Amino acid sequence: MKNVTLGLVGVGRIGVMHAKNIAALNGMLNPKGINVTLRLTDVAEEHARNVAADVDAEYVSSVGALLASGVDGLVVATGTVTHPELITAGVDAGIPVFCEKPVALNVADALPVLDYIRDNHGVVQIGHQRRFDAGYLEARRAYQAGELGWIHSLRAVTCDMAPPPVEFLATSGGLFRDCSVHDFDILRWLTGREIVEVYAKGSNNGDPAIGDVGDVDTALALVTFDDGTVGTVSATRYNGAGHDVRLEIQGSSRSLMVGLDQKSAMASAEPGVAFPSGEPHRTFAERFDQAYRSEMAAFVELVLGQRENPCTPEDAVAASRVADAAQDSLASGVPVRVAATVRSSRI
Ligand SMILES: NC(=O)c1ccc[n+]([C@@H]2O[C@H](COP(=O)([O-])OP(=O)(O)OC[C@H]3O[C@@H](n4cnc5c(N)ncnc54)[C@H](O)[C@@H]3O)[C@@H](O)[C@H]2O)c1
């Protein structure tokens, strides 16, 4: 049996979920001859001790102590502003890092991190879990196999049921950087094309505190790809019907919708139509449960050198470029070209 010890830093909204998933990984990985153990830390000490006790992990007092304890891989699930320093710390320790999206608050802050990773031969996987979701994987396979023909329209939707705390939103970078960045990533990954222009609009009809911290609660971006194909990316924090993440891909031969199943948070207005009949997902953790587990299993395999990196920092920053352009368009009210691909802070 190969033993892998992961060190997790940050056990807030998503970190707790990762802690539970890592604790449950052995069911999936023991049959492959891999055994995973977990150490974790958070500046909220008492909370971290409780989480550690809940998932049978070891609590460690600081990031420094975690790295010094000889973990094989570092999982970063702290707020976005801390990602650069923690990625750097993991690279300095000479171990693979899994970091939640995004690499940094914006592309300008991310470029020195990319340089540091490259210069020091770091291995860093970024958390765009939709790349592991069965529906998105099937849509990509079908498109790339030519089953859809050429794509004429793409519509990506990400709706939270309720906003996260305003304190979180204040440092999240804005709705496009925090939320729609997943859609920007998946559109690039699925089509193999670059988004070259974004025209964004937003609104604030929910809690005024969201506007007070400079964010919007709902937004829509019209995106144009490098072959002229157009698509829309929309997001809201106020979807009472449930957590709703979908992607419509309409092709010249066939169309598919990711996220259309019995749990879709959408009812038909047509008389006599009972579909969908299930209870909708309420959170991102429920909607992407399978994807988050597969993503963490992939990180363990990356730590063991058994697979390619499924989401590189360069890929994540490419999605962040689109998010930056969307935030700029939202602020300026005009379409914004996605910045030419500057790949280094030194250029
Ligand atoms: N992939 C996804 O679907 C997804 C979903 C939600 C959040 N995220 C990303 O995950 C990150 C965390 O989001 P969240 O909602 O869990 O935030 P959160 O504020 O709920 O949790 C962050 C946790 O990190 C701890 N922390 C902060 N700085 C620390 C430090 N230096 N050392 C140790 N602990 C520290 C905080 O005490 C807190 O418990 C964000 O970057 C966000 O963009 C990704």
Side-chain angles (χ1 to χ4, degrees):
M1 191 74 84
K2 290 184 175 120
N3 291 308
V4 174
T5 303
L6 295 184
L8 168 65
V9 50
V11 282
R13 275 193 319 159
I14 201 159
V16 169
M17 185 205 76
H18 283 315
K20 288 179 182 159
N21 286 349
I22 292 166
L25 272 183
N26 284 331
M28 196 191 294
L29 293 179
N30 279 176
K32 292 182 175 180
I34 302 168
N35 191 66
V36 180
T37 51
L38 176 64
R39 294 178 194 144
L40 63 83
T41 189
D42 192 295
V43 287
E45 180 182 336
E46 196 186 333
H47 169 65
R49 283 187 186 279
N50 290 337
V51 174
D54 281 352
V55 300
D56 205 16
E58 184 187 340
Y59 165 77
V60 181
S61 62
S62 67
V63 178
L66 193 66
L67 293 172
S69 75
V71 289
D72 302 303
L74 181 68
V75 177
V76 177
T78 52
T80 298
V81 286
T82 62
H83 293 179
E85 76 181 75
L86 290 170
I87 290 173
T88 304
V91 170
D92 284 345
I95 54 173
V97 178
F98 171 91
C99 183
E100 262 311 329
K101 46 56 64 174
V103 172
L105 211 47
N106 52 46
V107 173
D109 290 355
L111 290 178
V113 185
L114 292 190
D115 286 340
Y116 198 83
I117 295 168
R118 248 184 251 125
D119 291 350
N120 293 281
H121 309 291
V123 175
V124 180
Q125 176 184 339
I126 303 297
H128 280 297
Q129 83 283 353
R130 292 186 193 179
R131 291 177 175 222
F132 295 90
D133 174 76
Y136 285 105
L137 281 162
E138 169 55 17
R140 185 180 193 240
R141 186 210 60 73
Y143 169 61
Q144 294 187 354
E147 294 171 16
L148 310 187
W150 53 269
I151 295 176
H152 59 79
S153 304
L154 289 145
R155 277 182 286 275
V157 175
T158 298
C159 302
D160 285 336
M161 269 192 93
V166 169
E167 304 76 54
F168 173 88
L169 294 178
T171 58
S172 71
L175 188 60
F176 287 118
R177 289 195 184 102
D178 181 50
C179 195
S180 304
V181 71
H182 286 293
D183 291 308
F184 300 139
D185 175 65
I186 218 72
L187 288 174
R188 292 184 67 252
W189 173 82
L190 194 150
T191 62
R193 295 206 161 273
E194 294 296 342
I195 294 169
V196 294
E197 189 189 84
V198 189
Y199 184 25
K201 292 282 182 187
S203 61
N204 256 326
N205 293 317
D207 184 352
I210 295 178
D212 292 345
V213 297
D215 205 356
V216 289
D217 63 49
T218 303
L220 178 90
L222 169 64
V223 298
T224 306
F225 291 81
D226 54 10
D227 65 346
T229 303
V230 289
T232 56
V233 172
S234 73
T236 186
R237 302 291 193 186
Y238 282 102
N239 198 57
H243 187 79
D244 183 14
V245 177
R246 283 176 285 122
L247 175 65
E248 282 177 44
I249 313 147
Q250 294 181 295
S252 56
S253 315
R254 199 177 151 221
S255 298
L256 283 178
M257 191 189 297
V258 177
L260 177 65
D261 62 11
Q262 295 292 1
K263 292 175 86 64
S264 297
M266 187 62 77
S268 173
E270 302 304 326
V273 176
F275 176 87
S277 60
E279 190 62 31
H281 298 292
R282 301 182 67 80
T283 62
F284 58 78
E286 283 177 27
R287 168 68 177 83
F288 288 110
D289 179 50
Q290 166 265 318
Y292 287 120
R293 287 168 192 265
S294 302
E295 175 185 59
M296 205 44 73
F299 179 58
V300 172
E301 288 167 359
L302 184 68
V303 167
L304 288 169
Q306 293 180 348
R307 66 167 296 152
E308 293 285 300
N309 190 341
C311 186
T312 64
E314 283 79 6
D315 257 4
V317 171
S320 289
R321 280 177 206 290
V322 185
D324 276 14
Q327 295 293 155
D328 286 354
S329 175
L330 189 62
S332 64
V334 295
V336 170
R337 300 292 294 177
V338 178
T341 315
V342 177
R343 299 216 168 270
S344 167
S345 60
R346 291 189 286 260
I347 294 172

